[in-house]
Amino acid sequence: MIKFVLMVNQQGQTRLSRYYEPVELSRRAALEAAAVRCCLSRNKDQCSFVEYKDFRLVYRQYAALYVVMGVTHSENELSIYELIQNFVEVLDKYFSRVSELDIMFNLDSVHVILDEMIQNGHIVETNKSRVLAPLTAINKMVDG
Amino acid sequence: MSDVVEKTLTALPSLLSLDSQPGSAKLSTNSKLGNLIRGITELTSKHEEEKLIQRELLSIKEQVSSPNTTMRQMKELMVRTIYCEMLGYQASFSYIHAIKLAQQGNVLEKRVGYLAVSLFLDESHELLLLLVNTVLKDLQSTNLIEVCMALTVVSQMFPKDMIPAILPLVEEKLSHSKEIIRRKAVLALYKFYLIAPNQVQHIHNKFRKALCDKDPGVMSASLHIYLQLIQENPEGYKDLTVSFVTILKQVVAGKLPMDFNYHCVPAPWLQIHLLRILSLLGKNDQSTSEIMYEILDESLRRAEMNHNITYAILYECVKCIYTIHPKSDLLEKAAKCIGNFVLSSRINLKYLGLKALTYVVQQDPKLVLQHQMTIIECLDHPDLIIKRETLELLFRITNAQNVTVIVEKMLDFLRVSKDDHTTIDLVGKVAELAEKYATDNEWFIETMNTVFSVGGDMMQPDIPNSFLKLLLDGFDSVEEDRKLRLFAVNSYISLLQGEPSRLPQRFLQVISWVLGEYSHLNGDLEPDVVLRLLAKLLDMKSSSSETKSWVLMAMTKLCSGGAALSVAREVSETYGSSMDTMLRQRAQELQHLSQDSQLQTRVLPQSSSQEAVEVDSSLSFLDWFVSEALAAGAAPYKPPHQRQEEMSRSKALSLEPYGLSLPISMSSCSVADRQSPTLLSMSSGLSGDSTELSHKGSSTTLKLDGVKRVWGREGYLAQREPEEEAAQVETPAPLQSPSQQGDKDSSHSQAPTPTQTPESEQEKQQLASSLFVGLASQSSASLMGKSEQTSQRFRRKARSPDKSLSSSEQLTNPLGSPSSGADNLLLDCSISSELVSAPEQTHLQSLDLTAANSACDAPDGDTKGRKTLSRDDSVSAADVTPHEDPDRPKDLRLASYLPAELSGLSGLPHSEITLVCSNQSLDLSACHVQKDDSLEFVVFIKNSSDTSVHQVQVQVSCEELEVSCVCDSPAEELKSHSVTVCQYRLTVKRPSVYFELAGVVHYQLPAGSLQTEQFSHKLPLKSFIRPLAVSTEDYGTMWLAFSHDTKQNLPLLSDEQEPLTATLNVLKKKLQLHVVEIIGKEGIVACCLRPDQPCLLHCREHAGMLAVWLRSPVPDLPDCLLYHCQRALRER
């Protein structure tokens, strides 16, 4: 099961966070900082999975941006690793070349996309066009 | 990795000027959101961030409540608030506006409103109720996008109690023409199932329809529900195996539309999902497994493409193959797959390979042998997670031969690891292995020393507990026991002579206890030397007051004669005036016992530490207190593990290291209810003076959460058995010499690193032979007719059978925490009061651990209200129940006075006749008889004097009971030594755990004086409970009508074949409950006090517990009944 999804940049600033288990607001900053530290301290030759407390972090780096997912031990880490890639590919398709600023300025859309893909910590949709369908429909309605 | 993404993101820093950004094009540069984002990107310190966000929040607060704010502005405000919350600043003032936005905005605004709600509120937030109407409206909307959004938010969060309001609408959507609506409806139902499984029970067939939906999206959504259902009850869904296999076949064959592909692999996550379901279905089921062999083979074959996602599928496939009923050629292929993973140069694959290996090693330990060289390399891998996973693997293959090497490796890791969680986990594993496979005393004690020093005060409290228990209980050989203890003593003495200030508190406590108990084994050791060493601990600044208590207790055991006395006196003088009351008490004990050697030998006999001490673990003597508290409205007690469980059920991410949040004494054991955590309950076969006194088997056994129990009564090793069997069946492999093993390896692994020097290679091979020795020789050992168990060193002594019959011996927490006042209660050994005279002394003179470990001679002085708790074995049964003897003959004689309709002939058993009050002229006894509709209470009045008494009148009353007199027989004259009987009918007015009947008897002595005597009698609610025979349908209607309910988890008799049935049967037998029906893991049970006072129980087997939900129209009845259920199960 996925416990949370984070997008953090190299400076350790959170760009997106989504929790699938309630975590107090006050605790989140510390958790995110620790998670980023874990990931930043690793080099390319090291495993993309890190042990953190009683769960595992799966992370993937895109330039200065890290996408990190916290998962339980029973989860298949490699499939989560690829899920991150899939998520970024969907963003790429939507923003037609996604950048950190796209994510910042369209935080709501990114959340909507993520909500289509992951719910309650489970992967619910991975088909790119289906993930984007609701969002594009909304945009069409507003524009037209 | 997508190159496009990579490139774009690399170019990012140069694009930081906002104007050139396509994403920001829509926003004017001076829009508020733009400003905020610019502000955030320019932040350089936490302080700046705080200032920026506080300012932002102020401005949002102002605008959000302004009536002029349009929905469009509100949407922007919400996005800004999302930012603030993301950075960790609460903006609770905006939550209500998020709901309003979802209610009133257009589609885009509505979407942001819903999004904000789902981000801000957690599932139990009360504001969520305000969302229900909006959701309801949107579900009925003709705009599909709105329906979609409503379904999405419902599947994320919805108030449980409001599910019935929207359930029909969601169900209706299951047959909607658009696939996306159907899919989201299924996901919403999945959510409902997660939060309130009962509410969607009736639509299980619709789930099946969803599974067969023509759209793959809807079908895969329904798999979430099935995975959950099958996890809970695999038996119920075996018939679907064929469907799942067919689906997987189609997916693997690429029958899905192209857009389901991910990097040319058809719907990989769907495949993984299906494989998980199949492994659950095929587990321990040959015929079901056979259905899936073909497709598993196919999956293995198809997933040969070199891409991460295919490896992810392979991993799942391999796991499935090793979980279901084995098939040799599949296993072979799976093993090869694992081999490829482990040998891969890609580190992620290597990790996955190790993880798979760890998973399969239980089924196939030989597979590890093939990869031993790789494993050795992984042990020295620079990446900690690889190392960690390897240790996990080694932990599973540990046996008596390789334990030393493996434990050494683990300790090496522990010494460098800085992560608390890892330390706690590994320390537990080392302790487990050390106990299980210790080769000799020296090694065992030294390993445990390292465990205690490294694990420090972080480790699970079970570890020192079970270590001390091991020392205390001993093994089969007395001589071995002595040697082990002696070695421990010597080792600790030398530690204390070194630098004890560096040792963790927990370790010091262990040391104190061991020295206190066993230092006499070393004849050369003068007690005063030990005392001085211990006294040094007291003077250390770093010692906690808990540790000091332990030290003082140890000293109390040791101070006898000569020089020791002066040390003792010195110490007790210093601490006799300590500010810490606990220390002061220990010091007082020390002082008094050291002065009175006779008393000391009586309280702390050295030789008898082996003898069992009986302790009333059910604390029945406190029942009156509990029932009073319950009657006064106190909440029923919940054991710590349950509290914890309830906390974890709220699904919080645990950010704390395990177990530290609870006091030591409580977290270590999941003792049912009101049992003492500190209790040393090695009960003997003596039966107590009431059934309530004797405590029972499995419910009191220690549950070591997370840590496997190492020692059973018959020795150890339940979970290794299958492996051993497998090893015995196999043709024995001859023990390989290191060089042979090396050869074998290089053929498998193609000599991992050719650049290595021969020496290091040789070193590795040596390590290999020592690490994997057990695995290879296991079978050869069995050839020689030696079972592996013989190599086990510490086998716990078997108890004499007569004892084991009555109850389980266990030491719930030998350490206890001496500082907790409540613990002392338990060991109230009634040491005569002159022992302690400190003014602050409570009336309970405790001797704590000391007294409990040795048999304590408790003068049974206080039998009236409370029963003495711990009794010496030597106290005979008669002494245990001092007032029963005179009663016994009376019972028989009085029984004959029972009214005819209640006497033995009527078939109604009467309770024991007990004496309730007695004076020089009258003896009053009472008993009750359970009739179908009421309880008859009978009072026997016996004139024990030599003269007759007159005008005998009895009145009985009770606040909670309706008392009606059946036959009062106000005897004009009661002759000498004759008996008269009064009979009352009792029904419950208001439920209570216990009913206290108050009675008054008036009579006239021949002299003419009018006498009054009061008495009381206690009845448990249990006596009023009657079975209620209802049908399942009636039960259903009644259930919905009752308003008072309680939920709690009770212990499950999990050692039985069918735990649920067995547990319910116990309840049926003990409490006369009527078991209406048992379906799968759920059972419904009914009972009543009177026909109009029913109580229904819904029992569900859940996570090794019995989750009980009680409902009744009578207030308090569920709580009171629950109390008795708890007791019944505990006293089984």
Side-chain angles (χ1 to χ4, degrees):
Chain A
M1 189 197 149
I2 301 167
K3 294 189 169 208
F4 56 80
V5 177
L6 297 178
M7 288 176 109
V8 202
N9 70 5
Q10 245 165 352
Q11 287 78 47
Q13 292 164 319
T14 309
R15 292 298 180 233
L16 174 128
S17 68
R18 185 71 157 121
Y19 289 82
Y20 300 103
E21 285 186 351
V23 178
E24 277 170 52
L25 216 51
S26 52
R27 293 268 181 90
R28 293 184 183 181
L31 174 76
E32 284 160 20
V36 172
R37 258 200 313 279
C38 272
C39 302
L40 283 178
S41 65
R42 300 172 70 80
N43 59 39
K44 280 215 150 81
D45 305 326
Q46 284 181 306
C47 210
S48 311
F49 322 128
V50 201
E51 185 161 40
Y52 180 72
K53 303 249 164 161
D54 59 337
F55 50 95
R56 298 270 148 99
L57 301 175
V58 178
Y59 68 94
R60 211 160 169 157
Q61 187 182 0
Y62 297 93
L65 201 65
Y66 283 83
V67 183
V68 187
M69 294 198 186
V71 298
T72 53
H73 280 264
S74 54
E75 193 54 77
N76 177 337
E77 283 93 345
L78 204 56
S79 79
I80 299 295
Y81 185 69
E82 287 305 307
L83 180 73
I84 296 177
Q85 174 66 19
N86 194 23
F87 173 50
V88 173
E89 282 176 20
V90 173
L91 292 181
D92 215 31
K93 188 170 171 187
Y94 180 72
F95 293 107
S96 63
R97 296 181 81 201
V98 67
S99 72
E100 188 176 338
L101 281 175
D102 283 328
I103 293 165
M104 293 190 76
F105 277 98
N106 300 284
L107 188 64
D108 49 336
S109 307
V110 179
H111 267 296
V112 171
I113 290 174
L114 187 60
D115 283 356
E116 288 296 321
M117 296 181 72
I118 304 175
Q119 263 177 15
N120 300 306
H122 298 290
I123 306 168
V124 293
E125 184 60 86
T126 51
N127 179 330
K128 291 188 189 75
S129 43
R130 290 191 172 198
V131 169
L132 290 178
L135 195 59
T136 28
I138 292 175
N139 288 340
K140 249 186 218 153
M141 266 190 76
V142 174
D143 292 343
Chain B
M1 185 180 292
S2 146
D3 292 340
V4 184
V5 184
E6 181 96 280
K7 270 180 215 144
T8 322
L9 288 169
T10 326
L12 224 167
S14 64
L15 296 174
L16 265 171
S17 57
L18 296 178
D19 306 323
S20 62
Q21 264 302 303
S24 61
K26 278 186 217 160
L27 298 156
S28 71
T29 25
N30 24 351
S31 84
K32 293 264 172 58
L33 178 59
N35 279 338
L36 173 65
I37 292 173
R38 196 199 307 266
I40 290 175
T41 51
E42 285 165 359
L43 287 176
T44 52
S45 72
K46 185 77 192 163
H47 178 66
E48 273 181 33
E49 177 191 291
E50 204 172 315
K51 253 177 27 194
L52 174 77
I53 302 296
Q54 293 301 359
R55 209 169 49 225
E56 187 69 21
L57 281 175
L58 269 181
S59 127
I60 295 174
K61 201 172 195 169
E62 210 172 278
Q63 287 182 48
V64 97
S65 44
S66 147
N68 299 328
T69 313
T70 62
M71 281 298 134
R72 193 188 165 86
Q73 285 165 323
M74 192 64 97
K75 177 197 154 229
E76 197 208 17
L77 282 170
M78 279 306 137
V79 178
R80 281 159 65 193
T81 317
I82 292 176
Y83 261 103
C84 295
E85 287 239 328
M86 186 172 79
L87 293 174
Y89 300 83
Q90 190 143 31
S92 41
F93 62 85
S94 63
Y95 297 171
I96 185 75
H97 297 283
I99 291 180
K100 241 160 73 185
L101 185 63
Q103 222 157 46
Q104 298 165 1
N106 68 20
V107 269
L108 187 56
E109 291 146 11
K110 195 184 261 300
R111 185 67 195 97
V112 173
Y114 274 133
L115 173 70
V117 168
S118 76
L119 284 169
F120 295 158
L121 306 184
D122 66 34
E123 292 182 51
S124 53
H125 204 288
E126 50 191 11
L127 279 181
L128 220 48
L129 283 176
L130 297 180
L131 199 68
V132 175
N133 252 333
T134 316
V135 168
L136 212 56
K137 202 182 90 208
D138 285 341
L139 280 179
Q140 288 162 305
S141 161
T142 48
N143 185 340
L144 286 189
I145 298 178
E146 284 180 350
V147 180
C148 245
M149 285 192 278
L151 284 171
T152 307
V153 85
V154 164
S155 50
Q156 285 170 326
M157 56 200 330
F158 199 75
K160 193 156 87 179
D161 307 329
M162 299 307 288
I163 291 175
I166 62 161
L167 190 57
L169 279 174
V170 176
E171 268 182 75
E172 191 182 287
K173 301 285 183 261
L174 283 176
S175 42
H176 198 275
S177 60
K178 283 278 184 216
E179 64 82 19
I180 187 164
I181 304 285
R182 291 201 303 275
R183 183 167 67 83
K184 287 192 176 280
V186 172
L187 289 173
L189 289 178
Y190 170 56
K191 181 69 183 178
F192 295 166
Y193 180 77
L194 286 180
I195 54 179
N198 298 338
Q199 311 248 31
V200 288
Q201 243 156 13
H202 61 287
I203 37 181
H204 278 199
N205 57 337
K206 294 205 173 153
F207 295 157
R208 288 198 182 222
K209 221 179 116 202
L211 181 68
C212 306
D213 198 283
K214 60 182 185 296
D215 184 84
V218 183
M219 177 275 296
S220 62
S222 74
L223 292 183
H224 290 283
I225 300 175
Y226 277 108
L227 185 67
Q228 194 74 28
L229 287 171
I230 292 169
Q231 241 161 19
E232 283 159 22
N233 174 26
E235 293 310 315
Y237 300 91
K238 297 277 184 190
D239 58 320
L240 285 176
T241 314
V242 182
S243 313
F244 293 125
V245 167
T246 319
I247 295 170
L248 185 56
K249 255 184 205 157
Q250 291 176 349
V251 176
V252 170
K255 299 270 169 64
L256 293 188
M258 282 298 281
D259 58 354
F260 281 91
N261 287 8
Y262 171 77
H263 293 241
C264 304
V265 180
W269 291 278
L270 175 58
Q271 289 191 39
I272 289 172
H273 213 145
L274 283 164
L275 285 167
R276 283 185 190 156
I277 291 179
L278 288 183
S279 66
L280 287 174
L281 284 170
K283 194 172 183 181
N284 302 326
D285 183 343
Q286 186 173 359
S287 58
T288 311
S289 296
E290 272 162 8
I291 306 175
M292 44 187 102
Y293 288 147
E294 189 196 332
I295 183 62
L296 288 175
D297 195 34
E298 173 83 11
S299 291
L300 280 179
R301 211 149 28 81
R302 290 264 182 173
E304 268 168 0
M305 206 176 75
N306 180 19
H307 190 281
N308 273 334
I309 196 66
T310 56
Y311 295 127
I313 298 173
L314 272 181
Y315 169 77
E316 216 62 46
C317 218
V318 165
K319 261 182 89 169
C320 181
I321 289 171
Y322 272 98
T323 311
I324 62 172
H325 188 85
K327 181 168 190 256
S328 60
D329 70 316
L330 273 182
L331 287 179
E332 219 167 90
K333 284 179 189 166
K336 208 176 128 225
C337 235
I338 295 179
N340 290 339
F341 279 10
V342 175
L343 295 176
S344 166
S345 57
R346 286 155 75 174
I347 185 123
N348 287 349
L349 286 188
K350 203 183 253 313
Y351 167 85
L352 216 59
L354 285 171
K355 197 172 169 180
L357 212 50
T358 312
Y359 183 78
V360 305
V361 75
Q362 272 118 335
Q363 282 91 346
D364 189 3
K366 281 211 306 188
L367 196 57
V368 178
L369 283 177
Q370 289 175 18
H371 301 295
Q372 41 185 317
M373 287 316 272
T374 324
I375 292 171
I376 300 229
E377 263 162 39
C378 290
L379 258 185
D380 293 324
H381 203 281
D383 197 343
L384 278 187
I385 193 161
I386 299 279
K387 242 179 165 169
R388 186 75 175 75
E389 200 60 44
T390 315
L391 288 178
E392 189 71 39
L393 171 62
L394 289 180
F395 171 70
R396 310 254 175 129
I397 58 162
T398 312
N399 57 35
Q401 279 116 316
N402 60 14
V403 65
T404 351
V405 195
I406 290 181
V407 164
E408 192 49 48
K409 287 279 164 201
M410 287 179 153
L411 291 178
D412 281 348
F413 187 90
L414 267 177
R415 289 188 189 105
V416 295
S417 155
K418 287 182 194 72
D419 180 54
D420 288 357
H421 188 267
T422 316
T423 308
I424 295 170
D425 184 53
L426 265 186
V427 153
K429 286 185 168 143
V430 172
E432 187 187 333
L433 291 179
E435 250 191 53
K436 218 190 271 182
Y437 301 114
T439 45
D440 61 73
N441 291 334
E442 201 168 325
W443 182 84
F444 176 65
I445 296 291
E446 266 162 18
T447 306
M448 289 311 285
N449 284 354
T450 323
V451 164
F452 289 136
S453 343
V454 176
D457 296 320
M458 278 187 296
M459 70 182 150
Q460 297 279 5
D462 319 325
I463 298 171
N465 287 359
S466 65
F467 174 69
L468 291 188
K469 182 167 163 50
L470 191 71
L471 282 185
L472 179 74
D473 283 4
F475 323 109
D476 289 330
S477 141
V478 178
E479 183 53 26
E480 268 311 291
D481 290 352
R482 207 187 65 83
K483 272 193 199 155
L484 179 68
R485 290 170 187 162
L486 183 61
F487 191 86
V489 167
N490 291 340
S491 153
Y492 294 159
I493 289 288
S494 61
L495 273 176
L496 288 189
Q497 279 161 348
E499 260 189 274
S501 57
R502 298 221 312 246
L503 302 176
Q505 302 297 310
R506 211 66 88 59
F507 193 15
L508 290 177
Q509 291 162 13
V510 170
I511 291 179
S512 319
W513 189 86
V514 171
L515 289 183
E517 284 291 315
Y518 300 120
S519 66
H520 63 87
L521 291 175
N522 183 344
D524 303 336
L525 208 56
E526 291 299 326
D528 61 304
V529 177
V530 184
L531 276 181
R532 261 177 242 285
L533 283 173
L534 287 172
K536 216 164 74 184
L537 297 182
L538 287 176
D539 296 335
M540 271 169 12
K541 276 206 191 74
S542 52
S543 301
S544 68
S545 75
E546 194 189 344
T547 308
K548 287 180 181 168
S549 280
W550 282 87
V551 173
L552 282 172
M553 279 192 293
M555 293 176 107
T556 313
K557 293 179 210 166
L558 289 172
C559 63
S560 53
L565 276 182
S566 68
V567 183
R569 198 170 308 128
E570 214 172 281
V571 168
S572 56
E573 263 164 31
T574 321
Y575 288 93
S577 54
S578 163
M579 291 299 280
D580 189 315
T581 47
M582 199 45 70
L583 284 184
R584 191 147 44 162
Q585 181 180 335
R586 303 280 165 239
Q588 294 285 354
E589 285 169 10
L590 173 60
Q591 193 189 350
H592 283 86
L593 286 178
S594 64
Q595 277 163 10
D596 188 343
S597 60
Q598 240 184 343
L599 183 62
Q600 197 197 16
T601 42
R602 207 156 59 109
V603 198
L604 303 164
Q606 272 190 344
S607 56
S608 59
S609 58
Q610 281 291 305
E611 279 170 33
V613 179
E614 191 201 349
V615 177
D616 176 9
S617 70
S618 70
L619 297 194
S620 54
F621 63 96
L622 281 176
D623 284 349
W624 64 274
F625 178 80
V626 173
S627 55
E628 251 172 40
L630 282 177
Y637 176 77
K638 285 178 188 156
H641 64 92
Q642 191 183 336
R643 261 175 278 154
Q644 229 169 10
E645 201 175 80
E646 272 166 21
M647 263 156 58
S648 66
R649 219 178 290 142
S650 70
K651 283 192 183 169
L653 264 188
S654 157
L655 297 167
E656 307 290 344
Y658 284 151
L660 297 183
S661 53
L662 282 162
I664 306 158
S665 54
M666 299 305 275
S667 61
S668 66
C669 49
S670 65
V671 202
D673 307 77
R674 299 161 302 111
Q675 281 169 359
S676 147
T678 21
L679 188 68
L680 197 77
S681 71
M682 284 165 291
S683 76
S684 70
L686 277 179
S687 61
D689 48 355
S690 74
T691 45
E692 278 151 22
L693 243 169
S694 60
H695 63 159
K696 300 286 152 89
S698 68
S699 61
T700 55
T701 48
L702 198 61
K703 276 181 206 146
L704 305 175
D705 295 328
V707 180
K708 275 173 263 168
R709 205 57 200 122
V710 178
W711 291 103
R713 197 171 295 132
E714 305 79 44
Y716 156 73
L717 222 66
Q719 92 276 21
R720 275 186 70 90
E721 270 163 21
E723 193 187 317
E724 274 162 36
E725 274 167 23
Q728 280 169 4
V729 178
E730 281 155 14
T731 44
L735 217 146
Q736 289 171 317
S737 74
S739 60
Q740 275 173 320
Q741 256 174 346
D743 291 344
K744 189 179 169 196
D745 263 296
S746 52
S747 68
H748 277 293
S749 63
Q750 298 143 5
T753 38
T755 49
Q756 267 169 336
T757 58
E759 289 96 53
S760 77
E761 190 65 9
Q762 208 175 2
E763 240 172 61
K764 279 188 179 171
Q765 279 167 11
Q766 258 166 11
L767 182 58
S769 62
S770 52
L771 271 180
F772 302 101
V773 56
L775 293 172
S777 63
Q778 218 171 44
S779 33
S780 64
S782 65
L783 188 74
M784 285 143 66
K786 244 197 284 177
S787 79
E788 208 220 341
Q789 290 215 333
T790 51
S791 61
Q792 238 175 272
R793 182 171 182 77
F794 299 148
R795 199 113 51 84
R796 206 152 270 186
K797 193 197 265 170
R799 296 269 164 178
S800 49
D802 58 329
K803 285 181 184 173
S804 56
L805 271 178
S806 69
S807 60
S808 68
E809 300 83 18
Q810 50 142 351
L811 167 127
T812 324
N813 184 348
L815 295 181
S817 84
S819 56
S820 108
D823 300 341
N824 293 325
L825 258 171
L826 311 168
L827 300 166
D828 170 10
C829 290
S830 309
I831 304 285
S832 44
S833 54
E834 74 266 10
L835 177 61
V836 187
S837 52
E840 78 288 346
Q841 187 53 51
T842 56
H843 68 285
L844 294 163
Q845 287 82 37
S846 90
L847 220 93
D848 219 297
L849 192 79
T850 341
N853 277 346
S854 25
C856 73
D857 183 14
D860 203 349
D862 183 19
T863 43
K864 201 150 193 191
R866 291 172 288 132
K867 282 148 192 159
T868 319
L869 308 171
S870 338
R871 290 201 178 83
D872 194 334
D873 254 358
S874 62
V875 179
S876 71
D879 286 342
V880 172
T881 54
H883 61 222
E884 214 171 76
D885 267 353
D887 274 359
R888 281 264 174 244
K890 269 189 200 149
D891 189 320
L892 288 174
R893 270 183 276 136
L894 286 174
S896 57
Y897 291 100
L898 270 172
E901 81 267 24
L902 299 181
S903 68
L905 294 172
S906 66
L908 295 167
H910 66 86
S911 73
E912 194 187 328
I913 299 174
T914 51
L915 190 66
V916 291
C917 141
S918 155
N919 60 20
Q920 62 272 38
S921 40
L922 286 186
D923 280 343
L924 256 69
S925 307
C927 74
H928 58 266
V929 178
Q930 294 189 13
K931 284 174 69 173
D932 283 344
D933 53 346
S934 67
L935 194 77
E936 304 285 324
F937 180 64
V938 185
V939 182
F940 303 89
I941 308 157
K942 178 170 184 251
N943 183 354
S944 55
S945 68
D946 293 328
T947 51
S948 44
V949 293
H950 301 274
Q951 305 292 339
V952 182
Q953 256 186 325
V954 182
Q955 283 165 7
V956 176
S957 67
C958 175
E959 253 181 75
E960 292 93 2
L961 293 176
E962 228 172 85
V963 183
S964 58
C965 184
V966 178
C967 125
D968 203 352
S969 64
E972 281 295 312
E973 184 188 9
L974 187 57
K975 289 217 174 75
S976 166
H977 297 292
S978 65
V979 176
T980 182
V981 171
C982 300
Q983 188 187 346
Y984 301 90
R985 176 163 299 155
L986 308 178
T987 47
V988 178
K989 264 198 298 201
R990 209 170 58 228
S992 162
V993 174
Y994 285 100
F995 301 98
E996 194 81 40
L997 280 170
V1000 188
V1001 52
H1002 303 282
Y1003 59 96
Q1004 210 169 8
L1005 288 178
S1009 61
L1010 202 65
Q1011 301 281 323
T1012 308
E1013 192 72 44
Q1014 294 187 333
F1015 64 92
S1016 70
H1017 186 75
K1018 204 166 87 168
L1019 289 169
L1021 178 77
K1022 207 160 88 176
S1023 317
F1024 292 90
I1025 300 172
R1026 304 286 177 270
L1028 177 66
V1030 287
S1031 66
T1032 310
E1033 289 75 39
D1034 292 344
Y1035 182 99
T1037 30
M1038 284 161 82
W1039 180 263
L1040 293 174
F1042 295 169
S1043 49
H1044 298 279
D1045 67 347
T1046 295
K1047 286 183 197 176
Q1048 190 158 349
N1049 284 2
L1050 297 179
L1052 192 68
L1053 309 178
S1054 42
D1055 48 343
E1056 303 281 339
Q1057 191 119 54
E1058 285 181 76
L1060 181 66
T1061 319
T1063 312
L1064 294 187
N1065 279 340
V1066 169
L1067 290 180
K1068 183 178 168 186
K1069 212 174 89 200
K1070 291 228 163 185
L1071 299 178
Q1072 302 197 32
L1073 306 183
H1074 173 71
V1075 180
V1076 182
E1077 198 172 358
I1078 298 178
I1079 312 162
K1081 293 201 178 299
E1082 295 183 40
I1084 50 178
V1085 178
C1087 69
C1088 63
L1089 300 181
R1090 282 196 318 239
D1092 61 332
Q1093 295 174 326
C1095 186
L1096 306 179
L1097 294 89
H1098 176 265
C1099 308
R1100 196 161 66 92
E1101 200 182 325
H1102 176 69
M1105 300 289 290
L1106 184 72
V1108 186
W1109 188 356
L1110 299 99
R1111 271 197 182 184
S1112 166
V1114 187
D1116 299 336
L1117 181 54
D1119 284 333
C1120 300
L1121 183 62
L1122 189 64
Y1123 172 85
H1124 286 282
C1125 291
Q1126 268 175 352
R1127 291 204 50 164
L1129 288 179
R1130 223 178 37 244
E1131 288 165 2
R1132 178 175 65 110

